[in-house]
Amino acid sequence: MTLTLADANRVIEGAIEKANQIGAKMNIAVCDAGGRLLAFQRMDGAMWAGSFGSQGKAMASAAFGRPSGDLTPRADHPTLRGIAAAEGNHMFYGQGAVPIFRQGVLIGACGVGGGTAQEDEDCARAGVEKL
């Protein structure tokens, strides 16, 4: 079971729709279950630095199969630091990404960056709900 490009684009469309509703300019990344980028869009006016955050949060969410914000309290744990270092330090353990499941199987994650942590997560969830 995989996440297709068409699926990823639907997730991004849903996240952008939510971002427009709340008046935020977002970076939206969708990765596969292995944490590799499948699709990305940066809304007009979104800060470029959010591109790294959205992708890093999506990668962390896919790696652990849970919202990236669930990892924040343990971000300094030696195991999580070690995993991030071994992976190349691309993972971000901050709030703003949610995993994508299909029939109970993890197939990817959506990460968003550019707003508050809660706005990022709300946009990611809205995107995933489009599947």
Side-chain angles (χ1 to χ4, degrees), residues 6-30 39-43 46 54 58 96-98 100 109-115 118-131:
D7 291 336
N9 285 332
R10 277 202 319 272
V11 170
I12 288 175
E13 288 171 15
I16 289 173
E17 182 179 304
K18 178 68 173 176
N20 284 329
Q21 289 172 3
I22 64 174
K25 305 296 184 195
M26 300 294 199
N27 295 269
I28 303 109
V30 177
F40 173 82
Q41 287 193 31
R42 180 166 57 114
M43 294 174 66
S54 63
V98 295
I100 302 170
C110 175
V112 177
Q118 189 62 57
E119 288 172 338
D120 292 352
E121 184 173 312
D122 289 347
C123 289
R125 284 190 188 285
V128 171
E129 288 171 4
K130 292 294 182 175
L131 290 183

Side-chain angles (χ1 to χ4, degrees), residues 98-117:
V98 295
I100 302 170
F101 291 95
R102 181 173 285 146
Q103 298 174 354
V105 176
L106 178 70
I107 59 170
C110 175
V112 177
T116 67

Side-chain angles (χ1 to χ4, degrees), residues 10-112:
R10 277 202 319 272
V11 170
I12 288 175
E13 288 171 15
I16 289 173
E17 182 179 304
K18 178 68 173 176
N20 284 329
Q21 289 172 3
I22 64 174
K25 305 296 184 195
M26 300 294 199
N27 295 269
I28 303 109
V30 177
C31 67
D32 63 18
R36 298 302 166 227
L37 187 64
L38 184 57
F40 173 82
Q41 287 193 31
R42 180 166 57 114
M43 294 174 66
D44 293 338
M47 62 179 173
W48 65 265
S51 65
F52 297 107
S54 63
Q55 292 176 55
K57 291 184 273 186
M59 182 182 288
S61 182
F64 293 93
R66 61 184 48 185
S68 58
D70 288 1
L71 304 166
T72 304
R74 296 184 298 263
D76 265 344
H77 189 279
T79 301
L80 290 183
R81 283 196 322 261
I83 290 168
E87 177 281 318
N89 286 315
H90 296 106
M91 283 189 208
F92 286 30
Y93 297 127
Q95 183 180 5
V98 295
I100 302 170
F101 291 95
R102 181 173 285 146
Q103 298 174 354
V105 176
L106 178 70
I107 59 170
C110 175
V112 177

